[in-house]
DNA sequence: ACAAAGAGTGTAAGCGCTTACACGATTAGT
DNA sequence: ACTAATCGTGTAAGCGCTTACACTCTTTGT
C-alpha cells in the first residue's frame, strides 16, 4: 500500500538507486531524470521512510533530551531554544522527562537506546561517576545542559557569578545580615550559588555566618520548593536577630520566604530585602528581584553544539558558560517594571 | 564495533533467530538457551538497535506530539500526563512545537514522516479541511488534544460548560453587566467559551449585550495575551457604563484586565469581579478566580487512546470530553486558598 | 512400537533505503 | 582518431533486526 522507491523507480523507468539519489540531492543525476522522478514521486505522494533511511545511513535524525522536572518554566524555555534551532535542520526532538533526579538514569538509558538518536542532551543532572561512565560508554554525541563535567561538552550558566551578583546587590542595598536559603546541597547549582554568596561576602570583608545559611532537607524538587523557602524563612525569623537580606537559590523558595515574612508582618523591602534566582514568570507579578538566566540562548547554543558534534565527531570539547543577570524589582526596593503588582495590592 | 545479535549468536552458539526470540520474549525458547543468551548479551553489553527493530517490525516505538506554543503552562501539564503514561510503555515521545498556529502545518508534516512514529497527537489546532485531509491521508493512529473534528479521536474539555460555569458564577455573585474578553474568534475554544457565556446569560433571562463583548484582534498568541486583556479592559472602562463582572477567555487576558482595572483605581472584587480561564500558575498568586481544566488527565487519556489505537487499529473512534471546574478566588470575593497573595500586599 | 503432535532451533527472506562498485556512453585531450 | 577522464545509471550488498517456514528431536497416545 505505502509507496516506496520501487514504485517510483518502475513507474519512472529508472532504478531505485537513481530515485534514492534524487532524494539525497546527489549531483550525479541528470536534470531531466531528476525532474521526471520528482514528478512521479509527487504524483504517487511518495514520502521517504524515516526509519529505513536512518538504518541505511547508520545515523538517526533524532536528538534526545533528558529533562528532569519538565514542569519548570526554566526547562520549557530552554526547550524552546532547542526546538527553534532544530526546526531549521532535519533533526527532530525526542523528549524524556524525569519527574525526579532518580528517574534520570532510567530515562537516560532509554534515550541512549542504540540507534535511536544521533545525539543526546542531558539537562540539570548531577554527573555521578555512574552517569559519566554510562554516557561515555555510549559514545554518542552529547551535550550537558545546566550541568557540568570536565571533558564533556556542556552549556551552563555561571551560578557562582549569579550568587555573587545577588549578594552584592543586597550588600549595595545596605543589608547587614544576609541570609542564604539553599536547596539541597547535592544540587550543584545550589552549591555554586552559595559559593558566589560566600565570595561576595568575603570580598566585602563580611564574615560568613553559618547560622544565616539554611540548607533545605526537603525531598520535593530537591529543596527547590515554595515550602522549603517558607520553612527556612520561618526558622530564620524565629531567632533573636533576624536577617535584613535574603538570597534564595530559587524564585520558588524566595516566594515561600516572602510568605513567611508577610505572615510575620514584616515589610518588604523596608525591613527585609529578598532576592531569588531564575526569574520564573510569577516573579514579575510578585515583584521579586532575581537573577535571570539566558534560558532560550542555552537551548540554542546546546542544539548548535550537539549538531556540530554530530557532523564532526572529532570536534574538540567545549564548555560554554553563559552569564546570568540581575533583575531588580520591588523586593529590593526597585521599581516593578510591571504594573501587575498593583493588582494583588487591591 | 557495536555489538549485534550476530555477535551474541556466534558467541552463544545459537542462531540469530534464537537471539531475537529471546529479546522478544518468545515462548518458543528453552529456558537454558534463554539464560545462556541473556548472559552472553549482558557480558557483551548488547542493546537492541531501535531503528533496525522498528524497520523489521514495521512499526515504530515513537509517538509524536504537535504542540503550538509550548511555552504555555497548559501544554506542559498535558505533556506531563502524556510522558508519565508513555514512560510505562515502550513508547517514546517526539515533540514538535510550533510557535504559531501557522507553523502547525509544517510541523505536522514532519511529524507525519512515514515510518517515523506509530501515532500522532495534535494539540489545540483548528481542524481546517486541509489538515483533516492531510491527517486522514496519513492513516496513522491519531488523537486530537484540545481540538475536535467529527470522526477523529479526540480528548477535549468542555469549553461551553467552562464558559457557562464562569458566567453563572458571576451571575450568582450578583453581577449585572458581565463583559466577555475574547481571544481571536478563529480559536475554537474561545468561541465555545463565548457560547457558554451566552447560554448562561440567556438561561438567566439576561440579554447579551454586544458592546460588552470585546474580541481581540491581536496576532500574538491569537489574542491569548496579557496585552490583549489589558487593551480590551481599557476599552470597556472608557464607556459610560462599565461592566461589574468580566469573564476572560484566558487567565493571561484576565491578568491584563486586572491591571487595567487597577490602573483605573477600581477595587476588585468590590466594583468589578473577574474570572479567567486555565488556572495557570500565576493565578493562584494573583488570587484569580478561574476555570481549571484537567490538563494532566488530558495527557493521560490522550496517551491511552493513542496506544489503544496503535494496538488495535480497528478501534472505534471516541471523543472524550472532560469537564472543567470552577476555582473561586479573591477576584470574585472568594478566599485565596493560598496565603501567597499577602506577599504582594506588603 | 509407531504415527502424530509439539517443542526448540535454524535458514532465509524480507523491512525500505543508501552507496560502493561496475559499466556503457559521452566528452575531452593530444 | 584513440585513449583517458567524466557523467549518468544500474546492480547488488548491506544496515540490524523479525518472522514464516522447515527441520530435527522428544513426547504422547494407542
Amino acid at each position: 500500500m505505502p509507496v516506496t522507491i520501487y514504485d517510483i523507480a518502475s513507474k519512472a523507468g529508472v532504478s531505485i538507486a537513481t530515485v534514492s539519489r534524487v532524494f539525497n540531492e546527489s549531483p550525479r543525476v541528470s536534470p531531466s531524470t531528476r525532474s521526471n522522478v520528482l514528478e512521479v514521486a509527487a504524483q504517487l505522494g511518495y514520502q521517504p521512510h524515516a526509519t529505513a533511511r536512518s538504518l541505511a545511513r547508520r545515523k538517526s535524525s533524532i536528538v534526545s533530551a533528558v529533562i528532569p522536572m519538565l514542569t519548570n518554566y526554566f526547562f520549557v524555555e530552554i526547550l524552546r531554544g532547542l526546538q527553534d534551532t532544530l526546526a531549521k535542520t532535519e533533526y527532530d526532538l525526542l523528549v524524556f522527562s524525569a519527574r525526579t533526579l532518580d528517574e534520570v538514569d532510567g530515562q537516560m538509558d532509554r534515550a541512549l537506546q542504540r540507534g535511536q538518536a544521533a545525539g543526546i542532551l542531558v539537562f540539570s543532572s548531577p554527573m555521578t561517576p555512574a552517569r559519566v561512565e554510562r554516557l561515555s560508554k555510549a559514545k554518542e554525541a552529547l551535550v550537558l545542559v545546566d550541568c557540568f563535567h570536565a571533558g564533556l561538552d556542556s552549556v551552563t550558566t555561571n551560578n557562582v557569578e549569579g550568587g555573587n551578583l545577588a549578594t552584592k546587590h543586597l550588600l549595595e542595598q545596605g543589608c547587614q545580615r544576609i541570609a542564604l536559603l539553599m536547596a539541597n546541597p547535592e544540587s550543584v547549582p545550589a552549591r555554586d550559588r552559595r559559593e558566589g554568596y560566600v565570595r561576595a561576602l568575603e570580598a566585602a570583608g563580611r564574615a560568613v555566618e553559618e547560622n544565616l545559611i539554611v540548607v533545605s532537607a526537603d525531598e520535593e524538587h530537591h529543596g527547590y520548593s515554595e515550602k522549603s523557602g517558607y520553612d527556612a524563612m520561618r526558622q530564620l525569623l524565629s531567632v533573636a536577630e533576624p536577617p535584613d537580606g535574603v538570597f534564595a537559590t530559587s524564585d520558588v523558595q524566595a516566594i515561600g520566604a516572602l510568605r513567611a515574612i508577610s505572615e510575620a508582618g514584616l515589610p518588604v523591602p523596608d525591613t527585609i530585602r529578598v532576592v531569588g534566582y531564575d526569574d520564573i514568570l510569577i516573579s514579575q507579578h510578585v515583584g521579586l528581584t532575581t537573577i535571570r538566566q539566558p534560558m532560550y540562548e542555552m537551548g540554542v547554543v546546546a542544539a548548535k553544539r550537539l549538531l556540530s558534534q554530530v557532523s564532526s565527531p572529532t570536534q574538540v570539547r567545549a564548555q560554554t558558560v553563559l552569564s546570568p543577570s540581575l533583575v531588580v524589582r520591588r523586593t529590593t526596593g526597585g521599581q516593578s517594571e510591571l504594573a501587575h503588582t498593583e493588582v494583588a495590592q487591591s
Side-chain angles (χ1 to χ4, degrees), chain A:
Chain A
M1 184 79 253
V3 21
T4 71
I5 48 173
Y6 285 88
D7 302 321
I8 298 178
S10 70
K11 183 151 183 196
V14 296
S15 76
I16 59 161
T18 299
V19 176
S20 173
R21 288 197 189 97
V22 169
F23 283 100
N24 287 289
E25 322 254 304
S26 155
R28 315 170 81 69
V29 183
S30 78
S32 67
T33 308
R34 164 182 309 274
S35 67
N36 179 222
V37 166
L38 250 21
E39 191 180 327
V40 173
Q43 214 171 287
L44 265 44
Y46 171 76
Q47 263 217 299
H49 189 286
T51 306
R53 225 179 228 234
S54 298
L55 185 58
R57 285 183 178 160
R58 269 141 269 227
K59 184 175 141 200
S60 156
S61 61
I62 287 180
V63 160
S64 297
V66 179
I67 310 179
M69 305 169 285
L70 181 58
T71 19
N72 266 216
Y73 171 66
F74 179 66
F75 297 116
V76 178
E77 272 303 296
I78 298 181
L79 217 50
R80 262 190 53 222
L82 263 182
Q83 272 276 199
D84 287 357
T85 309
L86 290 179
K88 295 174 195 147
T89 73
E90 64 185 321
Y91 289 93
D92 293 327
L93 183 68
L94 210 39
V95 174
F96 294 85
S97 82
R99 274 171 304 189
T100 66
L101 282 177
D102 304 321
E103 271 184 19
V104 164
D105 295 289
Q107 294 290 44
M108 230 168 64
D109 277 343
R110 286 181 78 141
L112 287 172
Q113 255 294 336
R114 192 164 53 100
Q116 177 90 280
I120 168 171
L121 296 150
V122 176
F123 282 49
S124 310
S125 308
M127 284 298 109
T128 60
R131 280 186 192 140
V132 173
E133 159 84 15
R134 179 82 183 78
L135 288 169
S136 352
K137 217 174 58 190
K139 296 202 182 317
E140 280 198 77
L142 165 71
V143 174
L144 302 180
V145 181
D146 189 41
C147 50
F148 175 89
H149 191 267
L152 295 179
D153 251 63
S154 63
V155 179
T156 52
T157 55
N158 195 329
N159 285 301
V160 176
E161 186 183 346
N164 203 293
L165 272 175
T167 313
K168 234 159 63 184
H169 175 62
L170 287 168
L171 285 168
E172 283 162 6
Q173 296 281 311
C175 294
Q176 296 300 318
R177 296 174 51 74
I178 302 176
L180 172 66
L181 266 45
M182 204 177 137
N184 294 5
E186 73 216 40
S187 158
V188 178
R191 286 210 301 272
D192 286 347
R193 289 166 199 175
R194 172 173 57 185
E195 179 64 24
Y197 161 85
V198 169
R199 288 200 201 160
L201 289 181
E202 286 173 349
R206 303 288 181 85
V208 175
E209 297 178 49
E210 284 303 330
N211 58 347
L212 282 179
I213 299 181
V214 183
V215 176
S216 167
D218 272 25
E219 286 297 310
E220 191 207 2
H221 289 320
H222 293 260
Y224 290 107
S225 68
E226 202 268 351
K227 179 171 178 305
S228 140
Y230 177 79
D231 292 344
M233 196 67 224
R234 293 260 300 194
Q235 183 185 324
L236 283 169
L237 290 175
S238 68
V239 299
E241 203 180 356
D244 58 356
V246 176
F247 167 41
T249 52
S250 73
D251 283 355
V252 281
Q253 288 170 272
I255 286 171
L258 284 171
R259 177 155 67 96
I261 296 170
S262 157
E263 283 181 14
L266 300 171
V268 170
D270 306 333
T271 302
I272 303 188
R273 288 161 193 261
V274 178
V275 179
Y277 209 108
D278 286 341
D279 198 18
I280 60 178
L281 282 175
I282 312 173
S283 304
Q284 242 178 37
H285 297 272
V286 174
L288 177 65
T289 292
T290 190
I291 304 294
R292 162 168 249 281
Q293 311 186 61
M295 301 168 277
Y296 185 88
E297 281 71 30
M298 288 177 79
V300 173
V301 173
K304 288 188 176 159
R305 284 296 310 164
L306 193 68
L307 294 181
S308 81
Q309 261 192 55
V310 167
S311 56
S312 57
T314 58
Q315 183 93 35
V316 287
R317 299 295 169 180
Q319 266 99 34
T320 311
V321 181
L322 302 176
S323 284
S325 54
L326 175 71
V327 181
V328 179
R329 298 207 182 90
R330 186 183 54 80
T331 58
T332 59
Q335 271 313 98
S336 281
E337 81 262 45
L338 222 62
H340 277 156
T341 330
E342 301 171 23
V343 158
Q345 287 172 347
S346 64

